Amino acid sequence: EAALRESARCLKCVDAPCQKSCPTQLDVKSFIGAISNKNYYGAARAILSDNPLGLTCGTVCPTSDLCVGGCNLDASEEGPINIGGLQHFAVEMFKKMKIAQVLPPDVPSPLPASYKAKIGLIGCGPASISAATFLGRLGYNDVTIFEKEDYVGGLNTSELPSYRLPYDVINFEIDLMKDLGVKIEHGRALHTEDITLEKMRNDGFAAAFIGIGNPEPKTIPIFDGLTEGDGYYTSKGFLPKVSRASKAGMCACKSELPEIYGSVIVLGAGDTAFDCATSALRCGAKRVFVIFRKGFINIRAVPEEAELAKQEKCEFIPFMSPQEVIVKNGRVAGMKFFRTEQDDDGKWIEDPDQVSTLKCDFVISAFGSGLYSAGIKDAMKPLDMNRWGTPEVDTLKMTTSEPWVFCGGDLAGVAETAVEAVNDGKIAAWSMHRYLQSLHNVHIDETPKLPKFHTEIDQVDLSVEVCGIKFPNPYGLASAPPATTCGMIRRGFEAGWGFAVTKTYGLDKDIVTNVAPRIVRGTTSGHNYGPGQGAFLNIELISEKTAAYWVQGVIELKKDFPKHVIIASIMCSYSKEDWQELAILAQTSGPDGLELNLSCPTEWEKEVWGWLVVKILTWLRTSASG
């Protein structure tokens, strides 16, 4: 009920800022609309069509910075829509249905040789999972992901604590990917001692995608020589140990949580730093200090992450720059800091006259990550590298200096969140598709048209035939507010409606003006949420649009949706010439049928009404077919 109430609040904005704020361009209003009608499968299908990691992102996505931050209800008393919560709810409901993904019906059959190309993806993180899923939906049947660890999911698995992202969420999305025939090989790493681009080329791979993330932690010289046994962890050493010992489904029998006690200093102000802080508490720490160089307004973590650490009694200490680690009896015993300040030019400087010392038992640094291994860099030869030592990537296409090699995720330098990595994989899949088809002289348009999520449910035939017209399904848009414009009908077809009756239109000489959209809520309405709510009463006049607008609109709609049914609704005064002229004009647009709107003759005698219908039909039979 809570989900139904929340989904009923959505305004269904036409130019939806929530969708524009999502890196994967998720059709938010569509899936929320489906939830409001208790169509949980339809909601999940809309989500997974745009984002194969829809459950992961619904769980951990920084929505306050993305879709929720753009919600037009943000300034309302109830606040913005809880989009992340609704997304999680919809996909979780689908997860319980245990339905497998199948290939979309438009996959070529029999499969051309160009779709049998050997494709390799390195690293089983969000970018690779996304790219592999979309490649599978496109019809490629030889797709393999190489993963060095014995688990899947990349940083989502290894560095997000179990209370934020359970491992079964990752496995659910991996299983959907495997439904399409994607294979995973564990224990394989990008390194001169194992997989290199040169070896892949020699082994017959037509395309490769690198999505290994930034595998190594950034540190500073004061920590040189310190080990975990001394009480010093990096985030990339600490969080994977926590995950292995706590995530059901990936923890080994003998895995144990890191033995943390006493006071812990966490250095950094990003999401990872706060994950380290809250995980340290769960591992036994009595007090946790999150220390960062800048102020509270400069915290890079999303508000939800920082707020959680605050609620769990973590202490925040701003304006501190680490200078020295105090070691006693071979263990970390404290740290010395200089206070930082911002000068008139906005540059952050350290003040050695303001020194602070803080005792601690452990230090965890969360300064981010990078790529420093010479073995990995050499394995990527002959790719061009940038000044940070990572591949030079065209982030609009996720291409590299080698036409057959593509890159995404953290390594590409743009993605900072899981949802951005998913979008990298999405873009790369289309670029790989274009490249692989070009090898066989097949031109693919640059504008992406990626296949949607598909299951056997979508293969159920719902078509019906009425008056010789076959409707793809019995659900349509009436000649009412939902069909006010061709754009609205288009969105209806994209959402799955099977037919539409255009808003009634007439000749230009009879053009009308709707001064106000006279639409009121019906008095018989029940709940304000869910499919039980009543319809709206529509007492508008006929369309304000010209006949030429509707003729052109119907032509375009029939071109783009040839299997959908469009009925053109027309109205004239009692004039043979007018009815014949408008009927012939409407017929030129190629509708599947005509609706003759004779207004509302509620006070007419039945005999007059019947005579009028016969008369107009006689006129039209002499001028237009059907």
Side-chain angles (χ1 to χ4, degrees), residues 480-482 484 503 516-522 535-540:
T484 296
K503 188 77 172 167
R518 295 177 290 172
I519 307 169
V520 296
R521 190 172 180 81
F536 291 87
L537 305 180
N538 167 33
I539 50 174
E540 279 189 325

Side-chain angles (χ1 to χ4, degrees), residues 280-491:
L281 286 171
R282 287 164 171 77
C283 290
K286 298 299 181 184
R287 297 187 71 186
V288 175
F289 301 93
V290 181
I291 300 177
F292 39 96
R293 293 180 64 250
K294 300 178 182 179
F296 284 96
I297 61 173
N298 304 108
I299 289 178
R300 292 183 293 108
V302 295
E304 296 91 338
E305 278 281 295
E307 185 61 29
L308 176 62
K310 180 181 175 183
Q311 290 174 0
E312 297 197 1
K313 310 304 180 186
C314 294
E315 305 282 353
F316 294 7
I317 306 179
F319 305 113
M320 302 280 270
S321 177
Q323 298 298 313
E324 180 186 340
V325 180
I326 300 171
V327 179
K328 291 183 180 180
N329 300 322
R331 280 194 56 83
V332 170
M335 288 197 69
K336 185 180 291 184
F337 299 88
F338 286 168
R339 181 173 174 80
T340 60
E341 295 177 346
Q342 202 168 14
D343 63 18
D344 294 339
D345 297 325
K347 182 180 179 181
W348 288 92
I349 57 175
E350 299 171 349
D351 184 356
D353 294 330
Q354 300 186 73
V355 182
S356 297
T357 302
L358 195 65
K359 292 181 179 180
C360 68
D361 298 289
F362 293 89
V363 174
I364 304 173
S365 64
F367 298 137
S369 54
L371 176 62
Y372 310 111
S373 168
I376 296 177
K377 291 181 180 181
D378 288 344
M380 290 191 282
K381 289 180 179 179
L383 294 186
D384 291 344
M385 298 290 185
N386 56 30
R387 59 194 175 107
W388 296 285
T390 56
E392 193 73 55
V393 179
D394 178 351
T395 53
L396 295 179
K397 300 177 181 177
M398 310 317 296
T399 53
T400 67
S401 57
E402 291 293 309
W404 68 285
V405 180
F406 303 80
C407 184
D410 287 346
L411 189 65
V414 177
E416 295 183 353
T417 60
V419 69
E420 289 171 310
V422 170
N423 194 55
D424 283 358
K426 190 175 181 178
I427 295 171
W430 189 253
S431 296
M432 295 169 82
H433 177 51
R434 295 186 68 222
Y435 167 74
L436 291 169
Q437 294 305 306
S438 70
L439 298 179
H440 295 262
N441 298 316
V442 178
H443 174 74
I444 300 295
D445 192 67
E446 191 170 346
T447 303
K449 294 179 182 177
L450 290 164
K452 296 187 179 297
F453 181 78
H454 203 79
T455 73
E456 290 182 348
I457 290 178
D458 302 304
Q459 297 175 349
V460 176
D461 185 7
L462 296 176
S463 65
V464 294
E465 189 169 314
V466 179
C467 297
I469 301 175
K470 186 174 182 180
F471 294 76
N473 63 58
Y475 306 104
L477 305 177
S479 180
T484 296
T485 68
C486 293
M488 295 171 72
I489 295 175
R490 177 178 294 275
R491 288 192 292 274

Side-chain angles (χ1 to χ4, degrees), residues 11-62:
L11 301 177
K12 312 293 191 299
C13 307
V14 175
D15 192 26
C18 53
Q19 182 171 355
K20 290 185 174 181
S21 302
C22 176
T24 61
Q25 291 292 287
L26 183 61
D27 192 349
V28 176
K29 65 177 181 291
S30 280
F31 89 72
I32 291 181
I35 291 174
S36 69
N37 290 317
K38 291 188 177 181
N39 179 11
Y40 304 135
Y41 171 77
R45 184 177 188 273
I47 294 165
L48 295 171
S49 289
D50 287 321
N51 185 345
L53 277 74
L55 187 52
T56 289
C57 291
T59 306
V60 302
C61 206

